[in-house]
Structures are given as C-alpha cells and as structure tokens.
C-alpha cells in the first residue's frame, strides 16, 4: 500500500519534528480510544474524544501540513479541519452528556438531586 | 447621508470579522492565491454575512483585547498539561480515578462569556461541561478524577471565569 | 524516519478505530454507541489525512473535511433525537 510513497530529501530537523508529531498524534488518538474502552461508566468515557481531537488529530494535521510545505507545496487545508474539530468537539460532547442525563444513564458519581435533567 | 453608512445599514460589510473569516476559509479550501480566487473570496466575504445577517447575534465587544492573547496562551497550555494528566490516568494499569460532578456557580451574565467558559471547560481534557444553565447561572461539570469538587469549581472560576469577565465585560 | 513514524501512526489509529468499533457494538447504553461513533469519525479524519500524506496527494484532505463535517452534523442530530425525541421542532 505504501509503495507509492516517495520521501524527498528533507533537512534532518524537519524529519525529526514531523516524525515526532506523527508519533504523538497517533499515540493520543489511541490513548483516547483506550480510555473509551477502559472506563467503567458513560460520563467517564465521554472524556475520550476531547483528548483525541486536541493533541491527537492536532499532531497529525501539523505533521501533514509541515510535510507538504517541506516538499514545496502550499498546503494549508489542515488549518480548516483542525479548528473545526477543536470547536465542534465541545458541542457534541455537551449534547451527548445532555442526552445521557435525559435517558438517566447510570453514573458512578451521584448527580446532584436538584439538577433539572430534562 | 454618506455612502458607507448607507451600505452598512443595508447589511453590507456590517460584520467585517466574519467577512474576513469567510474569505480566508475559501482561500484555504482552494489552497491557492491566484487573482480569480482572491476575487471570489472577496465576493463571498461580502455576500455570505449579508445573506445570514438575520441569524447572526449582536456584535461581541472586547473590553480588553490585549488580555485575550495571554488568555489564549494560558488555555492552550492548560489543555496540553491536562492532556498528559489524563493520558497518565488512562495508561496506568489498575488506576482508579474518582469521577465527580462539580457545580460551578457563575458570576458573569455575559452570554458570550458563559458559552466560552463552557467550551473551555470541555476542551480541557478531564472536565466536560454537561448542563449550562443560564437562568440559574450555573454550569454542571463532570470531572474524570477529582477529590474535592469545591476546590475544582473555585479553580475554574479563578483561572478562566475571572479573565473572561475582564475581557468581555 | 518519516516512513517509520507514518507506519506507526497508521497502526495506532487503526487500532483506535477497532477499539471504537468494539465500544460501538458493545454499548451498553445508546449514548455509549453514539460516543463511539463520534470518536470513530474523528479517528477516520486522522487516518485519511495520514493516507494522503503517505500517497503524496493533497486531494484526500477534502475527503477528510467532508468526513469531519458529516460526523459532527450526524452526532448533533442523533444526540438531539435522543434527548428531545425529534430533530426539528
């Protein structure tokens, strides 16, 4: 699958920086997913995607952008995806939490009794 | 009446920041800066806010714009740190985080400030704002690992709400 | 070096997608499945970007953008459906 890959001669610092961002990005997306599988209740699992977007996808996008610049291509489309995911993740997390509270999904920590859930 | 104010009244160019944003997004999508694309971007920047100006709320006023930059840096730094904290909790075998519901009472009544505060709370890993109750002026936050909910509420207020109040009024 | 890092990131994200799929099938509650979908599409965005990088094309970035847009809209619609019983009022 990766046979079409052609890596031009990048300066060493650029290679190190881009590789570092790739590894960090991949790791944090994976850590987010592990958290989502591991944690015992829904509200704890909810913390996973915010983590996956910020450092995870952020690292991957920065790496891709840096790589396209280094290979002489004006690529900045990542600047659209990154902020979009960063700004929408809190919105979907909030709506998911509201849906779960409405459906009375069980939680390990007690919800304060006077909170309107509907 | 001069020409510019008539144009502004009609809604053309009434949202300069939004116009700039639309134009920038178009150029980023095209990934090019040739003249036809610049013209298209300018036209879209003028047209789109005009088409949607009925759905755009009142303009946000910054009282202290200089503080904003420092605040953004602080938030990004906090996001980085709490990312590492949560990563450690996830990766430590047998770790048993103590989840808690944290009630954050609000002092500010500024709608924009409340929305931004809720967004910042969620964007920082380890805390998610679940219910934003503007009437009772309270945000209900779920914390992944928290021993002392009241201390955490105080920290959120002091670290994020106070600067937001100062920036937005 | 970049090749190796790229392979590592691809492997990590593929594994993440499999874990999301497990949570998607396992549940147990409906919001859990929705959350799994949400995390899954975010991982797919990262995967598509990485593939574009590996194949040396900029075309895939638009695919990633569309995945991101559709993922967000569908999460919002489904979450609202769960808490309100309908999407439009």
């Amino acid at each position: 699958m990766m046979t079409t890959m052609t890596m031009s001669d990048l300066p060493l610092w650029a290679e190190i920086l881009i590789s570092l961002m790739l590894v960090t990005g991949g790791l944090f997306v994976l850590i987010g997913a592990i958290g989502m599988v591991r944690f015992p209740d829904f509200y704890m699992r909810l913390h996973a995607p915010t983590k996956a977007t910020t450092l995870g996808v952020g690292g991957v996008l920065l790496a891709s952008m840096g790589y396209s610049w280094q290979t002489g291509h004006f690529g900045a489309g990542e600047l659209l995806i990154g902020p979009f995911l960063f700004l929408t993740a809190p919105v979907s997390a909030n709506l998911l939490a509201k849906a779960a509270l409405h459906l009375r999904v069980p939680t390990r920590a007690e919800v304060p009794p006077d909170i309107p859930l509907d | 009446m001069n020409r510019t104010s008539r144009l502004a009244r009609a809604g053309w160019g009434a949202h300069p920041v939004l116009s700039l944003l639309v134009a920038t997004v178009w150029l980023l999508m095209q990934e090019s800066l040739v003249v036809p694309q610049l013209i298209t971007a300018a036209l879209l920047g003028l047209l789109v806010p005009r088409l949607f100006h009925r759905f755009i709320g009142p303009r946000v006023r910054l009282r202290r714009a200089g503080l904003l930059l420092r605040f953004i840096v602080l938030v990004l730094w906090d996001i980085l740190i709490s990312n590492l904290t949560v990563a450690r909790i996830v990766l430590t075998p047998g770790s048993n985080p103590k989840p808690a519901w944290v009630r954050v009472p609000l002092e500010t009544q500024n709608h924009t400030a409340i929305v931004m505060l809720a967004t910042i709370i969620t964007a920082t890993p380890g805390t998610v704002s679940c219910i934003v109750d503007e009437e009772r002026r309270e945000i209900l936050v779920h914390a992944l690992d928290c021993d002392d909910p009241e201390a955490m509420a105080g920290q959120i207020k002091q670290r994020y709400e106070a600067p937001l109040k100062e920036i937005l009024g | 070096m970049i090749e190796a890092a790229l392979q590592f990131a691809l492997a990590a994200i593929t594994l993440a997608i499999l874990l999301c799929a497990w949570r998607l099938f396992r549940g147990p509650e409906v919001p859990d499945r929705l959350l799994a979908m949400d995390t899954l599409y975010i991982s797919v965005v990262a995967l598509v970007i990485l593939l574009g990088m590996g194949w040396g094309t900029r075309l895939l970035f638009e695919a990633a953008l569309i995945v991101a847009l559709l993922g967000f809209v569908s999460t919002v619609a489904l979450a609202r459906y769960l808490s309100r019983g309908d999407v439009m009022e």
Side-chain angles (χ1 to χ4, degrees):
Chain A
M1 182 178 74
M2 285 291 145
T3 45
T4 49
M5 195 152 58
T6 48
M7 297 291 171
S8 52
D9 312 287
L10 296 177
L12 186 64
W13 64 267
E15 273 209 26
I16 291 177
L17 203 63
I18 292 174
S19 308
L20 209 64
M21 285 190 288
L22 281 173
V23 171
T24 325
L27 264 182
F28 272 90
V29 172
L30 183 58
I31 290 174
I34 292 175
M36 201 182 58
V37 166
R38 229 198 88 172
F39 286 143
D41 81 350
F42 170 78
Y43 301 95
M44 294 171 80
R45 290 175 206 132
L46 190 56
H47 294 277
T50 49
K51 183 162 47 277
T53 44
T54 44
L55 270 190
V57 183
V60 168
L61 288 171
L62 282 178
S64 163
M65 202 161 69
Y67 181 68
S68 75
W69 283 356
Q70 286 293 331
T71 48
H73 194 294
F74 170 70
E78 285 86 353
L79 286 181
L80 284 177
I81 303 179
F84 177 80
L85 285 180
F86 185 74
L87 290 176
T88 54
V91 178
S92 34
N94 180 255
L95 286 171
L96 282 170
K98 267 193 204 156
L101 285 171
H102 175 79
L103 295 172
R104 311 288 195 277
V105 169
T107 157
R108 285 183 113 202
E110 278 308 307
V111 185
D114 57 325
I115 296 287
L117 293 180
D118 296 299
Chain B
M1 193 195 294
N2 63 30
R3 208 174 130 70
T4 43
S5 70
R6 214 170 35 224
L7 282 178
R9 181 164 299 183
W12 294 99
H15 302 278
V17 178
L18 187 61
S19 297
L20 202 65
L21 190 69
V22 171
T24 314
V25 166
W26 176 259
L27 289 176
L28 284 177
M29 293 251 301
Q30 300 304 324
E31 297 200 326
S32 95
L33 284 172
V34 295
V35 176
Q37 295 295 1
L38 287 175
I39 295 173
T40 319
L43 285 178
L44 283 174
L46 279 176
L47 192 67
V48 172
R50 174 76 186 86
L51 284 175
F52 291 97
H53 86 278
R54 280 205 304 154
F55 304 103
I56 301 169
R59 191 185 272 185
V60 175
R61 295 211 174 275
L62 296 180
R63 277 208 325 191
R64 295 188 56 186
L67 252 173
L68 186 65
L69 205 67
R70 253 185 42 211
F71 184 59
I72 291 175
V73 172
L74 172 95
V75 169
L76 288 180
W77 176 252
D78 281 3
I79 288 176
L80 192 71
I81 295 299
S82 50
N83 246 309
L84 297 176
T85 317
V86 175
R88 215 191 51 225
I89 295 176
V90 171
L91 289 181
T92 314
S95 72
N96 192 19
K98 265 197 227 127
W101 294 93
V102 180
R103 313 177 74 145
V104 183
L106 298 173
E107 266 154 48
T108 174
Q109 294 186 328
N110 187 314
H111 176 71
T112 314
I114 295 176
V115 172
M116 277 180 76
L117 181 62
T119 309
I120 289 169
I121 290 173
T122 308
T124 352
T127 48
V128 172
S129 42
C130 292
I131 293 182
V132 183
D133 196 333
E134 280 196 48
E135 264 167 48
R136 293 163 30 140
R137 306 216 344 249
E138 186 178 74
I139 298 182
L140 182 67
V141 176
H142 184 268
L144 179 61
D145 188 18
C146 170
D147 287 323
D148 186 353
E150 264 166 40
M152 180 173 253
Q155 207 196 348
I156 289 173
K157 284 174 68 66
Q158 176 239 324
R159 215 170 160 75
Y160 306 125
E161 196 198 0
L164 274 175
K165 238 175 93 179
E166 233 178 289
I167 291 167
L168 292 164
Chain C
M1 181 163 44
I2 293 186
E3 278 109 307
L6 192 58
Q7 300 286 3
F8 173 81
L10 278 170
I13 289 174
T14 309
L15 191 56
I17 289 177
L18 289 175
L19 291 175
C20 291
W22 185 81
R23 180 53 78 195
L24 184 61
F25 288 115
R26 181 71 170 51
E29 310 282 339
V30 186
D32 280 306
R33 298 180 207 273
L34 197 46
L35 176 68
M37 274 290 287
D38 195 60
T39 319
L40 196 137
Y41 89 74
I42 292 171
S43 313
V44 169
V45 170
L47 188 72
V48 172
I49 293 281
L50 285 180
L51 285 180
M53 207 175 146
W55 291 337
T57 168
R58 297 287 303 165
L59 289 174
L60 281 181
F61 122 78
E62 271 160 49
L65 193 60
I66 292 173
V67 173
L69 288 170
L70 285 180
F72 171 62
V73 173
S74 50
T75 305
V76 167
L78 283 168
R80 267 187 79 89
Y81 177 71
L82 287 184
S83 52
R84 295 282 177 88
D86 55 10
V87 179
M88 306 280 194
E89 306 202 315

